[in-house]
Amino acid sequence: MKRIVALTSLLAIGSTAAIAGPALQICHGEYALCAASSTDATGRSIVVNGITFREGVSVCPVLHGPAIADMNLMGGSCKAPQGKVWSLFSNVKNFPQAPTWAVMPEVVRAFTTAPTPGGGMSNMWSFPCVKREHLVNGVQLADCYGPLNESPWTSTSVPFGSVVGTAAAVGASNPVGGNIP
């Protein structure tokens, strides 16, 4: 719960009058947690709040329970379309992580984005995910699609040289995370 309160505080600080902040809500049920995932560019674009970004895809474990969402990006509903889940934020400390998808403790770190391939960051928070057909080591996985180098707090571009927080392993390509305001 402390992490949800901290996230809410960060979102309030990071929002400005000119840029509408997230519409926060707690959703209950199935969701994907991409906090420790890397992201590969798809070669396509994605539009977030009228701004076009490069699109990325992350493989994320599907969990069950309460999670925080941005209703602005989810059409105002926690209910995902059939066969899909939303990628949400959670305060779980141990969850399945690549490459084995064994349950491991979350290890949060900061890094600085760079223009080198894979040196950026990605935002998967409150974006749709397609559940995979087969479990891996007993874990349901989903392919989540979201923007590269987009701030989850303001929906604006995150420039290279920005400090980002993530739970992805060192060396992960375009780790899922959020810029630190």
Side-chain angles (χ1 to χ4, degrees):
M1 189 52 118
K2 286 182 190 175
R3 286 182 44 190
I4 291 175
V5 171
L7 173 66
T8 304
S9 298
L10 241 177
L11 292 172
I13 292 167
S15 299
T16 66
I19 300 170
L24 302 179
Q25 181 173 320
I26 301 293
C27 295
H28 299 273
E30 194 173 56
Y31 66 96
L33 180 61
C34 296
S37 296
S38 62
T39 305
D40 293 320
T42 65
R44 297 186 301 258
S45 297
I46 185 171
V47 177
V48 181
N49 294 326
I51 302 171
T52 302
F53 296 90
R54 291 183 16 216
E55 181 188 66
V57 60
S58 297
V59 179
C60 309
V62 176
L63 306 179
H64 298 269
I68 193 165
D70 178 356
M71 292 290 105
N72 289 335
L73 297 173
M74 296 169 45
S77 174
C78 291
K79 184 172 173 55
Q82 184 69 27
K84 296 184 179 182
V85 294
W86 294 110
S87 173
L88 303 178
F89 178 81
S90 174
N91 66 349
V92 298
K93 299 288 187 210
N94 299 289
F95 53 92
Q97 297 176 42
T100 65
W101 300 106
V103 174
M104 298 179 359
E106 174 185 58
V107 178
V108 178
R109 67 180 179 90
F111 72 98
T112 302
T113 60
T116 56
M121 54 83 63
S122 61
N123 174 22
M124 295 295 153
W125 182 44
S126 298
F127 287 97
C129 307
V130 179
K131 292 190 327 188
R132 289 187 171 186
E133 187 175 334
H134 302 288
L135 302 182
V136 176
N137 291 334
V139 177
Q140 173 72 62
L141 299 175
D143 294 319
C144 299
Y145 297 86
L148 294 172
N149 301 311
E150 182 259 350
S151 173
W153 328 125
T154 62
S155 298
T156 58
S157 182
V158 174
F160 294 120
S162 297
V163 177
V164 173
T166 187
V170 172
S173 178
N174 302 308
V176 174
N179 54 310
I180 299 172

